[in-house]
Amino acid sequence: MSRIIYVNGKYVPEQDASVSVFDRGLLFGDSIYEVTAVIEGRMIDNDLHLSRLQRSLAELGIPMPASIEGIAEIQNALITHNKLEEGLIYLQVTRGVADRNFDYDDASKPTLLGFTQAKDLRGAPAIRNGIRVAVVEDRRWARRDIKTTMLLPQVQAKREAKNQGCTEAWMVEDGFVTEGASSTAYIVTADGRIVTRPNSHATLPGCTRRALLSVAETLGLTVDEARFTIDDALAAREAFLTSASSLVTPVIEIGGRSIGDGAPGPVTRLLQATYLELAQRT
Ligand code: PDD
């Protein structure tokens, strides 16, 4: 039996319910959700769920898609349309639809969707018999080497950068630069070494990084795969970043302080030109 789904103001059969490929929930994980239990056709603790929904949205700067009362009405309509006696109501609010860009438009219209899931909550075997739990490391999200679309922290980092008049953010953990919000970070030290963090679970292993390091090797430059701090970066002669979308981009200022003489340096220029030439040739 097809359910009735709520999407952006409409109640439609589930086979007709859709959101855009460009929805930021899909592309960036730029969204929040709530799940409310329904027993005997009535929502349980829903005021708590809706106030947490409101708080989550406020924390992310996503406008409320409707008033709290308006959202509760939608939930009740879903219960009625789907004749839900017992189960769950899932709600999701995303920042809405826009061409892919980490930065967002504050005026973008959020996506709101909701659906029901019939489920025997009270009579579940787990409730009666109890369950077994495994012990796992809390790795939310410690596997940045996997190119997942869970990009919300980067969306926030880019917004912070923009607020500071910057284009990119260099993220710091335990005092060391991990990488850019969407790029790999490098410095060129006073003694001419190119330093970039070694690959690990802490960063995304950049494809451009890999290509660039072999360019550097071909040019006879010294590469030091090591962690560096912001102080190291400020003492560096040059800094730059790489990614598929920014190629080799000079970094001239970090946290409001100039790097070197505040202009793209010669090692960066050489790498930039050689990388581009090689990339176009191969
Ligand atoms: N981002 N680190 C992070 C966190 C990234 O998101 C990216 C790329 C890189 C560089 O990887 P590569 O050299 O393979 O592009 C490093 C892409 C460009 C993006 O999200 O738009």
Side-chain angles (χ1 to χ4, degrees):
M1 196 191 74
S2 168
R3 277 171 292 187
I4 297 296
I5 312 288
Y6 175 88
V7 196
N8 290 330
K10 295 199 177 80
Y11 295 89
V12 291
E14 66 180 71
Q15 62 274 16
D16 299 332
S18 63
V19 291
S20 167
V21 162
F22 293 101
D23 195 283
R24 291 182 61 93
L26 178 66
L27 297 183
F28 292 105
D30 196 358
S31 72
I32 64 99
Y33 76 104
E34 279 295 335
V35 176
T36 302
V38 173
I39 292 173
E40 290 173 358
R42 289 182 26 215
M43 292 185 284
I44 309 295
D45 294 332
N46 197 44
D47 48 346
L48 300 179
H49 290 287
L50 291 188
S51 73
R52 188 170 62 188
L53 176 143
Q54 189 171 31
R55 179 183 180 278
S56 299
L57 289 175
E59 287 293 311
L60 297 185
I62 298 178
M64 281 284 279
S67 64
I68 292 260
E69 298 73 28
I71 297 173
E73 265 173 46
I74 292 164
Q75 291 172 298
N76 278 314
L78 282 171
I79 292 174
T80 308
H81 283 308
N82 293 290
K83 300 183 175 58
L84 185 68
E85 275 301 313
E86 189 158 329
L88 304 168
I89 300 192
Y90 176 91
L91 286 177
Q92 186 167 345
V93 185
T94 83
R95 203 184 297 274
V97 178
D99 200 2
R100 186 177 185 273
N101 186 354
F102 281 88
D103 192 30
Y104 52 85
D105 182 349
D106 291 305
S108 78
K109 194 175 164 305
T111 296
L112 171 60
L113 61 89
F115 57 81
T116 55
Q117 288 180 296
K119 200 170 177 201
D120 184 7
L121 298 178
R122 290 170 296 178
I127 292 267
R128 274 200 312 276
N129 307 327
I131 58 163
R132 297 185 177 88
V133 299
V135 179
V136 301
E137 220 179 298
D138 191 339
R139 51 177 87 90
R140 297 176 288 168
W141 179 241
R143 291 297 309 274
R144 300 138 186 183
D145 54 312
I146 303 168
K147 200 164 170 63
T148 74
T149 51
M150 292 196 299
L151 293 170
L152 191 50
Q154 284 102 305
V155 166
Q156 291 180 302
K158 292 268 195 190
R159 175 47 69 107
E160 243 179 276
K162 187 184 180 188
N163 289 342
Q164 293 175 34
C166 300
T167 313
E168 175 62 306
W170 277 11
M171 301 181 289
V172 175
E173 186 176 63
D174 300 331
F176 294 93
V177 174
T178 49
E179 59 186 327
S182 66
S183 58
T184 306
Y186 308 76
I187 57 172
V188 182
T189 59
D191 59 358
R193 283 172 303 119
I194 298 164
V195 183
T196 191
R197 193 176 170 114
N199 285 336
S200 70
H201 288 177
T203 59
L204 182 78
C207 297
T208 320
R209 174 188 185 279
R210 186 156 164 189
L212 184 105
L213 293 189
S214 81
V215 166
E217 204 173 291
T218 312
L219 291 169
L221 300 168
T222 308
V223 175
D224 194 357
E225 293 190 56
R227 299 189 301 174
F228 63 88
T229 65
I230 290 293
D231 281 345
D232 294 333
L234 293 174
R237 223 195 269 161
E238 301 177 32
F240 64 94
L241 55 82
T242 66
S243 78
S245 57
S246 55
L247 308 173
V248 180
T249 297
V251 171
I252 55 166
E253 197 182 288
I254 299 172
R257 310 252 304 265
S258 282
I259 303 304
D261 58 6
V267 175
T268 305
R269 285 294 189 218
L270 176 65
L271 286 166
Q272 204 176 33
T274 317
Y275 172 76
L276 254 187
E277 192 190 291
L278 205 77
Q280 284 169 294
R281 214 166 356 108
T282 54

mmCIF file of all heavy atoms in Angstrom, residues 244-266:
data_model
loop_
_atom_site.group_PDB
_atom_site.id
_atom_site.type_symbol
_atom_site.label_atom_id
_atom_site.label_comp_id
_atom_site.label_asym_id
_atom_site.label_seq_id
_atom_site.Cartn_x
_atom_site.Cartn_y
_atom_site.Cartn_z
ATOM 1 N N ALA A 244 40.461 19.767 -6.876
ATOM 2 C CA ALA A 244 39.987 19.672 -8.261
ATOM 3 C C ALA A 244 39.370 20.991 -8.717
ATOM 4 O O ALA A 244 39.460 21.354 -9.891
ATOM 5 C CB ALA A 244 38.970 18.549 -8.375
ATOM 6 N N SER A 245 38.757 21.717 -7.798
ATOM 7 C CA SER A 245 38.065 22.946 -8.209
ATOM 8 C C SER A 245 38.939 24.189 -8.092
ATOM 9 O O SER A 245 38.648 25.201 -8.717
ATOM 10 C CB SER A 245 36.789 23.134 -7.385
ATOM 11 O OG SER A 245 37.096 23.159 -6.013
ATOM 12 N N SER A 246 40.020 24.114 -7.312
ATOM 13 C CA SER A 246 40.858 25.313 -7.168
ATOM 14 C C SER A 246 42.262 25.101 -7.735
ATOM 15 O O SER A 246 43.104 26.004 -7.644
ATOM 16 C CB SER A 246 40.949 25.732 -5.694
ATOM 17 O OG SER A 246 41.409 24.655 -4.908
ATOM 18 N N LEU A 247 42.522 23.902 -8.301
ATOM 19 C CA LEU A 247 43.834 23.559 -8.872
ATOM 20 C C LEU A 247 44.923 23.872 -7.847
ATOM 21 O O LEU A 247 44.851 23.382 -6.745
ATOM 22 C CB LEU A 247 44.029 24.288 -10.214
ATOM 23 C CG LEU A 247 42.868 24.095 -11.228
ATOM 24 C CD1 LEU A 247 43.041 24.978 -12.441
ATOM 25 C CD2 LEU A 247 42.729 22.630 -11.625
ATOM 26 N N VAL A 248 45.923 24.711 -8.228
ATOM 27 C CA VAL A 248 46.927 25.132 -7.236
ATOM 28 C C VAL A 248 46.663 26.610 -6.970
ATOM 29 O O VAL A 248 46.842 27.444 -7.855
ATOM 30 C CB VAL A 248 48.362 24.931 -7.770
ATOM 31 C CG1 VAL A 248 49.383 25.388 -6.720
ATOM 32 C CG2 VAL A 248 48.591 23.471 -8.159
ATOM 33 N N THR A 249 46.183 26.933 -5.772
ATOM 34 C CA THR A 249 45.806 28.312 -5.456
ATOM 35 C C THR A 249 46.712 28.874 -4.354
ATOM 36 O O THR A 249 46.820 28.275 -3.284
ATOM 37 C CB THR A 249 44.333 28.374 -4.995
ATOM 38 O OG1 THR A 249 43.503 27.946 -6.081
ATOM 39 C CG2 THR A 249 43.923 29.775 -4.574
ATOM 40 N N PRO A 250 47.375 29.993 -4.638
ATOM 41 C CA PRO A 250 48.227 30.590 -3.613
ATOM 42 C C PRO A 250 47.401 31.076 -2.422
ATOM 43 O O PRO A 250 46.295 31.563 -2.598
ATOM 44 C CB PRO A 250 48.860 31.802 -4.330
ATOM 45 C CG PRO A 250 48.599 31.603 -5.786
ATOM 46 C CD PRO A 250 47.369 30.763 -5.903
ATOM 47 N N VAL A 251 47.971 30.930 -1.230
ATOM 48 C CA VAL A 251 47.350 31.476 -0.013
ATOM 49 C C VAL A 251 48.241 32.637 0.425
ATOM 50 O O VAL A 251 49.436 32.441 0.677
ATOM 51 C CB VAL A 251 47.266 30.401 1.091
ATOM 52 C CG1 VAL A 251 46.831 31.010 2.424
ATOM 53 C CG2 VAL A 251 46.296 29.298 0.686
ATOM 54 N N ILE A 252 47.689 33.834 0.484
ATOM 55 C CA ILE A 252 48.525 35.002 0.783
ATOM 56 C C ILE A 252 48.318 35.529 2.197
ATOM 57 O O ILE A 252 49.091 36.330 2.692
ATOM 58 C CB ILE A 252 48.267 36.128 -0.254
ATOM 59 C CG1 ILE A 252 46.779 36.487 -0.307
ATOM 60 C CG2 ILE A 252 48.767 35.715 -1.635
ATOM 61 C CD1 ILE A 252 46.508 37.787 -1.032
ATOM 62 N N GLU A 253 47.244 35.063 2.840
ATOM 63 C CA GLU A 253 46.951 35.536 4.193
ATOM 64 C C GLU A 253 46.275 34.408 4.965
ATOM 65 O O GLU A 253 45.438 33.701 4.418
ATOM 66 C CB GLU A 253 46.006 36.738 4.080
ATOM 67 C CG GLU A 253 45.925 37.592 5.323
ATOM 68 C CD GLU A 253 44.919 38.737 5.153
ATOM 69 O OE1 GLU A 253 45.217 39.688 4.410
ATOM 70 O OE2 GLU A 253 43.837 38.639 5.747
ATOM 71 N N ILE A 254 46.648 34.239 6.223
ATOM 72 C CA ILE A 254 46.014 33.223 7.081
ATOM 73 C C ILE A 254 45.620 33.892 8.388
ATOM 74 O O ILE A 254 46.461 34.482 9.072
ATOM 75 C CB ILE A 254 46.961 32.037 7.357
ATOM 76 C CG1 ILE A 254 47.365 31.333 6.051
ATOM 77 C CG2 ILE A 254 46.300 31.030 8.305
ATOM 78 C CD1 ILE A 254 48.444 30.275 6.204
ATOM 79 N N GLY A 255 44.339 33.807 8.728
ATOM 80 C CA GLY A 255 43.854 34.391 9.979
ATOM 81 C C GLY A 255 44.204 35.869 10.092
ATOM 82 O O GLY A 255 44.532 36.353 11.177
ATOM 83 N N GLY A 256 44.160 36.582 8.972
ATOM 84 C CA GLY A 256 44.410 38.028 8.989
ATOM 85 C C GLY A 256 45.888 38.406 8.955
ATOM 86 O O GLY A 256 46.224 39.591 8.993
ATOM 87 N N ARG A 257 46.790 37.410 8.860
ATOM 88 C CA ARG A 257 48.229 37.718 8.828
ATOM 89 C C ARG A 257 48.815 37.324 7.473
ATOM 90 O O ARG A 257 48.540 36.232 6.957
ATOM 91 C CB ARG A 257 48.961 36.961 9.951
ATOM 92 C CG ARG A 257 48.312 37.119 11.330
ATOM 93 C CD ARG A 257 49.093 38.002 12.285
ATOM 94 N NE ARG A 257 50.468 37.553 12.481
ATOM 95 C CZ ARG A 257 50.867 36.776 13.486
ATOM 96 N NH1 ARG A 257 49.986 36.291 14.350
ATOM 97 N NH2 ARG A 257 52.144 36.481 13.629
ATOM 98 N N SER A 258 49.632 38.203 6.922
ATOM 99 C CA SER A 258 50.233 37.961 5.609
ATOM 100 C C SER A 258 51.233 36.820 5.658
ATOM 101 O O SER A 258 51.946 36.662 6.641
ATOM 102 C CB SER A 258 50.971 39.210 5.132
ATOM 103 O OG SER A 258 50.043 40.126 4.642
ATOM 104 N N ILE A 259 51.294 36.074 4.581
ATOM 105 C CA ILE A 259 52.304 35.015 4.433
ATOM 106 C C ILE A 259 53.392 35.556 3.515
ATOM 107 O O ILE A 259 53.081 36.068 2.423
ATOM 108 C CB ILE A 259 51.685 33.736 3.825
ATOM 109 C CG1 ILE A 259 50.515 33.239 4.692
ATOM 110 C CG2 ILE A 259 52.739 32.646 3.641
ATOM 111 C CD1 ILE A 259 50.841 32.971 6.146
ATOM 112 N N GLY A 260 54.646 35.422 3.931
ATOM 113 C CA GLY A 260 55.762 35.976 3.144
ATOM 114 C C GLY A 260 55.543 37.463 2.928
ATOM 115 O O GLY A 260 55.235 38.191 3.869
ATOM 116 N N ASP A 261 55.667 37.872 1.659
ATOM 117 C CA ASP A 261 55.454 39.310 1.397
ATOM 118 C C ASP A 261 54.006 39.597 0.989
ATOM 119 O O ASP A 261 53.704 40.638 0.414
ATOM 120 C CB ASP A 261 56.465 39.833 0.372
ATOM 121 C CG ASP A 261 56.378 39.070 -0.943
ATOM 122 O OD1 ASP A 261 55.457 38.214 -1.087
ATOM 123 O OD2 ASP A 261 57.202 39.308 -1.841
ATOM 124 N N GLY A 262 53.114 38.656 1.264
ATOM 125 C CA GLY A 262 51.681 38.886 1.020
ATOM 126 C C GLY A 262 51.281 38.722 -0.439
ATOM 127 O O GLY A 262 50.175 39.127 -0.830
ATOM 128 N N ALA A 263 52.160 38.099 -1.223
ATOM 129 C CA ALA A 263 51.835 37.855 -2.641
ATOM 130 C C ALA A 263 52.183 36.395 -2.951
ATOM 131 O O ALA A 263 52.991 35.789 -2.237
ATOM 132 C CB ALA A 263 52.644 38.791 -3.526
ATOM 133 N N PRO A 264 51.572 35.823 -3.993
ATOM 134 C CA PRO A 264 51.916 34.442 -4.362
ATOM 135 C C PRO A 264 53.426 34.302 -4.563
ATOM 136 O O PRO A 264 54.043 35.150 -5.215
ATOM 137 C CB PRO A 264 51.163 34.227 -5.680
ATOM 138 C CG PRO A 264 50.000 35.178 -5.593
ATOM 139 C CD PRO A 264 50.529 36.385 -4.868
ATOM 140 N N GLY A 265 54.004 33.244 -3.979
ATOM 141 C CA GLY A 265 55.456 33.075 -4.021
ATOM 142 C C GLY A 265 55.924 32.289 -5.233
ATOM 143 O O GLY A 265 55.126 31.662 -5.932
ATOM 144 N N PRO A 266 57.250 32.304 -5.470
ATOM 145 C CA PRO A 266 57.819 31.667 -6.671
ATOM 146 C C PRO A 266 57.646 30.138 -6.718
ATOM 147 O O PRO A 266 57.412 29.588 -7.795
ATOM 148 C CB PRO A 266 59.303 32.051 -6.609
ATOM 149 C CG PRO A 266 59.559 32.478 -5.189
ATOM 150 C CD PRO A 266 58.269 33.008 -4.672
#
